[in-house]
Amino acid sequence: CPAARACHTLAQLLPSVSLPPVPSYIIGVLPSRWGSTRFPGKPLHLIAGKPLIQHVWERCQQCSRLDEIIVAVDDERIRDAVLAFGGKVAMTSPDHLTGTDRIAEAVRSIPQATHIVNIQGDEPLIDPALIDELAAAIAVDPALDMATAANPLDPADPAVRDPNVVKVAVALDGRALYFSRSPLPFFRNPVAGLPVLRHKGIYAYRRDFLERFITWPPSPLELAESLEQLRALENGASIKVLLTTDTSPGVDTPEQAREIEHLLKLQPIFS
């Protein structure tokens, strides 16, 4: 602008406008399918007198950050059992290859949902506080696409080399760098205070990210490791990793169900 003339930009002419934050509506979704190679009918297996899926549902009922909880099922037997104990159900296709696809179908009937927490339907001892932490993390930071959790392992723990135990490496700001079934990191040199992080299979998503994610084809690293979360990283997603002391086990076999029943009976709230 010429020095002799007053110059105003559009920003100077317009009053400052503070837009109200968009209210969040966070739903917890428990994917639950009948067909399991190692444990068919697992969701309805009785543990301490209740179906497995009911134990997970009751844990979620203790959460304070979830506006709604639904069970995404592929079988009428699971649907009927969930309705019998007072749960909400979304029937989904039996043809989904992943729980993420099942969740995406389930939330189509809930248009007000802004964020989704994917809670494994076979973890009857999941900590409600961890679910709330994930819900809060994904809702408060619009730069995040996903959030998940991990608990520290001693580098000498045999689980570090177990390919059935997924490990995650994180950046200094707490975001995921990589997930692997291999030891991660590989300790060429010892580093004091650097743990191995065991990934827990619980996720929170922004709804718009989830809708994009299911349109992407399986990625090369995902196919190599058989880890769906690598598809998100390979497509540039930002995944926050919350550190937790929750080491609650899942149920993959009838033997593990018996172990869980024993642990439940040791809890003071067990009735």
Side-chain angles (χ1 to χ4, degrees):
C1 296
R5 295 175 57 192
C7 181
H8 299 285
T9 66
L10 182 60
Q12 289 171 321
L13 293 174
L14 292 175
S16 176
V17 177
S18 178
L19 296 176
V22 177
S24 61
Y25 191 88
I26 307 173
I27 63 170
V29 185
L30 286 59
S32 184
R33 68 187 184 95
W34 184 266
S36 169
T37 304
R38 288 185 289 177
F39 199 170
K42 178 172 66 171
L44 300 189
H45 182 82
L46 293 181
I47 297 178
K50 298 177 183 178
L52 168 60
I53 190 63
Q54 183 175 353
H55 285 284
V56 186
W57 170 270
E58 290 176 353
R59 288 275 173 164
C60 294
Q61 290 295 312
Q62 300 175 39
C63 295
S64 61
R65 299 301 298 259
L66 300 180
D67 295 294
E68 190 172 346
I69 304 165
I70 61 172
V71 183
V73 308
D74 67 347
D75 190 281
E76 293 179 355
R77 288 166 288 188
I78 308 174
R79 178 200 64 189
D80 293 345
V82 173
L83 293 175
F85 63 70
K88 295 182 180 179
V89 172
M91 282 295 298
T92 61
S93 169
D95 299 325
H96 289 309
L97 297 178
T98 70
T100 308
D101 293 314
R102 192 173 311 287
I103 286 171
E105 180 185 353
V107 300
R108 287 177 196 147
S109 62
I110 309 174
Q112 70 271 32
T114 58
H115 302 83
I116 298 97
V117 183
N118 173 353
I119 304 156
Q120 297 300 310
D122 60 2
E123 291 197 11
L125 298 177
I126 186 72
D127 185 358
L130 175 59
I131 299 172
D132 278 339
E133 287 180 42
L134 283 166
I138 196 66
V140 76
D141 188 350
L144 284 181
D145 297 306
M146 294 174 57
T148 189
N151 59 272
L153 286 174
D154 187 297
D157 191 313
V160 171
R161 298 188 176 277
D162 185 345
N164 295 310
V165 176
V166 178
K167 281 71 68 175
V168 57
V170 300
L172 295 177
D173 65 358
R175 297 179 192 235
L177 292 172
Y178 192 65
F179 298 86
S180 183
R181 298 182 181 278
S182 299
L184 187 69
F186 175 81
F187 282 87
R188 182 74 168 88
N189 302 295
V191 179
L194 178 62
V196 175
L197 297 178
R198 182 207 309 251
H199 179 234
K200 288 188 66 66
I202 182 171
Y203 301 95
Y205 318 89
R206 283 203 335 266
R207 183 191 187 115
D208 61 324
F209 174 77
L210 176 62
E211 290 172 343
R212 293 201 312 275
F213 179 89
I214 62 168
T215 68
W216 298 331
S219 61
L221 290 173
E222 173 188 2
L223 293 171
E225 296 255 19
S226 190
L227 295 175
E228 192 182 15
Q229 61 269 38
L230 290 174
R231 188 190 319 175
L233 286 183
E234 287 186 86
N235 282 278
S238 175
I239 306 176
K240 178 81 171 180
V241 180
L242 303 183
L243 297 186
T244 179
T245 58
D246 177 22
T247 58
S248 57
V251 175
D252 291 317
T253 66
E255 292 73 26
Q256 289 173 334
R258 287 191 287 272
E259 294 171 7
I260 292 288
E261 183 167 57
H262 176 69
L263 292 173
L264 278 169
K265 289 181 177 179
L266 293 176
Q267 295 188 1
I269 61 172
F270 177 77
S271 58

